[in-house]
């Protein structure tokens, strides 16, 4: 059965952390919301917003970004409240990397706590009938794998204490370090499973990416050279392309002659 198409929203918002804020995608340690995979307006990224704009001109200028660098699942409900107050009809959610990227394993957000926080945020959005796209958290162990032989990347990770649970002692292949990285990866997978379950519980108004972001085979070419952690503009574009096709079957506005967004 073909899913019923949805009218293009007139207001959308990005919720989440530094990834959705476009952190380090255009400069040194700054949020670059114009290059956000979700609500950005940079042509080269071709975000969800620009893809929606191509088929529904009424959304023009109504691309909000409430994602904040450093946010964890604890901050999601407050962001959702801002989206509802702004009358967003569609939001994207990508949250959880910072729940796992902490100073030590014992400080990682428990899985049950992560789920409860996501449920709380979705409960804020549900009464307003907000359409939700939930993206999986990227596989941060892949970042270690593709960068562990790069001296510059390892220097950034060490000096900046970037995601210590995964990236500390990046050159080590000791069993204890391998085991630590595997446990952190498993925690991210558990978060993703709970996001999928929470999205399913929300009902047909939520679409999960099916693990597409977690499984994406990104390379260092997708990673910002400002910190060797966040997506650069190419990485943001890959996120937009990978996720949008997993989302809602939006109805084209009859006033525009643009091709269907899902074909892009």
């Amino acid at each position: 059965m073909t899913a019923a198409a949805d009218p293009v929203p007139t207001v959308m918002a990005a919720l989440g952390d530094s990834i959705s804020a476009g952190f380090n995608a255009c400069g040194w340690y700054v949020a670059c919301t114009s290059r956000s995979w979700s609500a950005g307006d940079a042509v080269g990224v071709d975000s969800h917003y620009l893809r929606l704009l191509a088929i529904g001109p009424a959304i023009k200028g109504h691309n909000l970004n409430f994602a904040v660098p450093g946010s964890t699942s604890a901050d999601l409900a407050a962001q959702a409240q801002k989206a509802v107050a702004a009358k967003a009809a569609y939001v994207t959610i990508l949250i959880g990397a910072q729940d796992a990227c902490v100073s030590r394993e014992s400080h990682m957000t428990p899985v049950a706590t992560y789920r409860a926080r996501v449920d709380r945020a979705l409960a804020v959005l549900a009464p307003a009938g907000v359409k939700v796209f939930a993206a999986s958290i990227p596989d941060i162990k892949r970042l270690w794998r593709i960068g562990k032989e790069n001296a510059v990347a390892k220097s950034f990770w060490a000096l900046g204490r970037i995601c210590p649970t995964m990236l500390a002692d990046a050159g080590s292949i000791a069993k204890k370090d391998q085991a630590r990285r595997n446990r952190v990866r498993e925690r991210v997978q558990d978060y993703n499973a709970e996001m999928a379950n929470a999205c399913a519980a929300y009902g047909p108004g939520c679409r999960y990416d099916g693990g597409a972001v977690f499984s994406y085979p990104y390379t260092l070419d997708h990673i910002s050279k400002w910190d060797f952690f966040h997506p650069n503009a190419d990485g943001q574009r890959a996120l937009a392309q990978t996720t949008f096709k997993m989302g809602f079957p939006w109805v084209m506005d009859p006033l525009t002659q643009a091709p269907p967004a899902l074909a892009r």
Side-chain angles (χ1 to χ4, degrees):
M1 178 181 295
T2 302
D6 298 282
V8 174
T10 55
V11 181
M12 73 158 293
L15 310 183
D17 55 25
S18 52
I19 297 177
S20 295
F23 191 76
N24 275 3
C26 68
W28 177 261
Y29 279 71
V30 293
C32 303
T33 54
S34 66
R35 295 189 179 183
S36 166
W37 66 276
S38 170
D41 57 11
V43 174
V45 170
D46 204 11
S47 66
H48 281 222
Y49 164 66
L50 288 181
R51 291 166 188 257
L52 290 171
L53 178 60
I55 57 174
I59 199 174
K60 184 175 178 62
H62 302 299
N63 51 322
L64 308 173
N65 198 322
F66 298 120
V68 178
S71 291
T72 70
S73 56
D75 303 300
L76 190 59
Q79 293 180 13
Q81 290 170 350
K82 291 181 179 180
V84 170
K87 300 188 183 307
Y90 172 63
V91 303
T92 66
I93 296 175
L94 174 48
I95 196 79
Q98 294 301 321
D99 289 86
C101 284
V102 287
S103 59
R104 60 185 65 179
E105 279 187 80
S106 61
H107 293 173
M108 291 192 297
T109 301
V111 176
T113 301
Y114 176 85
R115 172 61 186 273
R117 291 169 173 175
V118 170
D119 283 341
R120 193 175 306 126
L122 293 179
V124 172
L125 299 170
V130 180
K131 298 285 187 183
V132 178
F133 179 82
S136 53
I137 305 160
D139 183 356
I140 52 178
K141 186 180 179 184
R142 180 177 179 83
L143 180 61
W144 169 78
R145 190 181 306 120
I146 63 176
K148 62 186 175 65
E149 304 299 333
N150 185 300
V152 179
K154 289 193 294 183
S155 294
F156 268 98
W157 296 344
L159 293 174
R161 292 187 56 77
I162 296 173
C163 196
T165 45
M166 178 62 71
L167 301 176
D169 300 315
S172 172
I173 56 172
K175 288 184 177 180
K176 66 179 181 64
D177 292 313
Q178 296 281 35
R180 165 177 52 85
R181 296 181 194 117
N182 287 337
R183 289 191 299 269
V184 175
R185 185 175 190 265
E186 288 169 4
R187 181 62 58 93
V188 169
Q189 290 177 298
D190 289 342
Y191 292 159
N192 284 338
E194 291 305 325
M195 180 62 79
N197 292 337
C199 187
Y202 190 87
C206 185
R207 295 294 178 93
Y208 178 63
D209 75 354
V213 172
F214 181 83
S215 301
Y216 188 79
Y218 65 88
T219 70
L220 285 182
D221 289 337
H222 295 106
I223 304 301
S224 173
K225 299 307 183 288
W226 297 116
D227 61 6
F228 284 86
F229 183 74
H230 292 92
N232 58 19
D234 288 338
Q236 292 284 347
R237 179 181 177 84
L239 279 169
Q241 184 173 25
T242 299
T243 55
F244 194 78
K245 62 187 177 183
M246 304 298 293
F248 296 93
W250 304 108
V251 174
M252 185 189 305
D253 188 319
L255 297 179
T256 180
Q257 299 301 311
L262 291 182
R264 294 166 64 178

